[in-house]
Amino acid sequence: IATKPLGLLSQTLIAGYFGASGNFDAYNFALFLVTFLGLTVSRVFSTVAIPLILKEKKCLSQDHLAGYQNFLITIFFLPVLALLVWLIFYGEVAVSIVGAKLPLETQASAYRFVRLMAVPAILMSFVSILNPILNLNKRYRVPASLPAIHVLCIIFSVLVFHGRLDVFSLAVGFALSYSIQTPLILFQGFRTGSLKFVPFYIPRGTISILAGLSWMIVLTQTVLMFNTFVDKWFATGLEAGSISSLTYSM
C-alpha cells in the first residue's frame, strides 16, 4: 500500500530536480539496457519454473526439491549474468549500436550509467528470481517490502546526493536498493528453509519440459519488451528529453 504514494513522491522529486534532460535520458536508456533481460527472465521464471517446483514438491524429498530449485534458478539466471558482465566491459558497444541516434554527450553519459548500474542489475535480477521462491513458501513479508525499500532508497539518494551528483544520484539509489534487498532476501530464504545449499538435482526430462513450456512465454515476453524497446529507440532520434518524457508518461 505504501509503495504507490512513495512512488508518486519519488517521481515528483525526480521531475522537480531533473526534469526532462539529456542526462535523465541517458539514465533511463541505460536502466533499460541493464534491466530488460532480468525482468523478462524473472517473469518467465514465475510462469514456468514455479509451477514445476510446486508440482515436484509433492513427490521429491526436501533436499532433492532444493537441488531442483537451485538448478532452475541457475539456468534462468546465467543468461542474465552473461549479458550484464558483457555490458560491464563492452557497454559502450551496446550504447553506440542501440543509441546511435542519441547526441554524443548523452551516449557518453549512458555508457557511464551502464557501467555503474550493471553490477546492481545483477543483484536486481537475482532478487527478482528469488522473490517468487519465497512467495511459493508463504514467506510474503520480505518480498512485499522490497518495492517500498527500492523507492525509499531512490528518494534518499535524490535528496542527499542530487546537488553533488545530479542524475547520477539515481544510480546511487539503484545500487543502494539492491545492496540492501539482496542480503535481506537471502537471509530470509535461508533462515526459513526456502533456500538451501545443496547440489543440483535434475529429474529426467527436465530440459525438454522446460523448453516445451517456456518457448511461448519467452516469445510473448519478448514481444512485450520489444514494444518498450521500440518506443525508447524511436525517442533516441528526437530532441533531448524525449526519453525522459516517455518515462514520465508510463
Side-chain angles (χ1 to χ4, degrees):
I1 297 174
T3 305
K4 292 294 183 181
L6 286 173
L8 179 61
L9 175 60
S10 71
Q11 289 301 304
T12 302
L13 288 173
I14 290 169
Y17 286 128
F18 309 129
S21 62
N23 265 347
F24 194 43
D25 280 355
Y27 167 78
N28 285 296
F29 183 79
L31 183 65
F32 176 78
L33 285 182
V34 299
T35 61
F36 80 95
L37 185 59
L39 293 175
T40 301
V41 166
S42 67
R43 294 189 192 106
V44 176
F45 182 84
S46 295
T47 307
V48 174
I50 293 299
L52 289 176
I53 294 170
L54 187 60
K55 177 184 175 184
E56 295 295 342
K57 199 171 186 179
K58 300 173 182 177
C59 52
L60 294 180
S61 68
Q62 287 191 353
D63 283 349
H64 279 169
L65 181 66
Y68 181 56
Q69 182 176 278
N70 290 346
F71 170 71
L72 293 175
I73 290 170
T74 302
I75 62 168
F76 275 87
F77 181 64
L78 281 178
V80 183
L81 178 63
L83 173 66
L84 290 170
V85 169
W86 182 81
L87 285 174
I88 291 171
F89 295 101
Y90 301 104
E92 191 171 6
V93 176
V95 171
S96 62
I97 293 173
V98 182
K101 298 180 181 179
L102 287 170
L104 292 179
E105 184 178 351
T106 304
Q107 284 190 33
S109 293
Y111 174 53
R112 290 196 293 272
F113 276 119
V114 166
R115 294 196 69 184
L116 284 170
M117 295 193 296
V119 171
I122 293 173
L123 301 181
M124 182 216 76
S125 304
F126 192 51
V127 168
S128 298
I129 289 175
L130 295 186
N131 253 335
I133 296 289
L134 264 66
N135 286 329
L136 176 65
N137 288 278
K138 300 181 181 180
R139 308 298 178 181
Y140 305 117
R141 288 187 179 180
V142 168
S145 70
L146 297 185
I149 290 172
H150 180 72
V151 177
L152 285 171
C153 288
I154 296 295
I155 291 172
F156 170 79
S157 296
V158 169
L159 289 174
V160 173
F161 299 114
H162 77 273
R164 283 174 288 175
L165 300 178
D166 193 49
V167 180
F168 282 89
S169 61
L170 292 170
V172 172
F174 182 78
L176 176 63
S177 170
Y178 290 103
S179 297
I180 293 172
Q181 291 186 45
T182 304
L184 189 60
I185 200 166
L186 285 173
F187 174 77
Q188 177 72 350
F190 285 110
R191 185 182 70 84
T192 59
S194 302
L195 301 172
K196 289 184 178 181
F197 282 117
V198 296
F200 290 163
Y201 178 74
I202 311 171
R204 181 176 297 178
T206 295
I207 301 299
S208 60
I209 291 171
L210 278 175
L213 293 174
S214 298
W215 73 270
M216 181 56 75
I217 306 298
V218 170
L219 180 61
T220 302
Q221 291 298 325
T222 301
V223 170
L224 292 173
M225 193 57 67
F226 182 73
N227 288 337
T228 305
F229 166 78
V230 168
D231 289 341
K232 292 190 182 298
W233 178 79
F234 181 75
T236 62
L238 303 178
E239 63 185 36
S242 296
I243 297 176
S244 306
S245 299
L246 181 64
T247 300
Y248 287 130
S249 69
M250 297 176 68

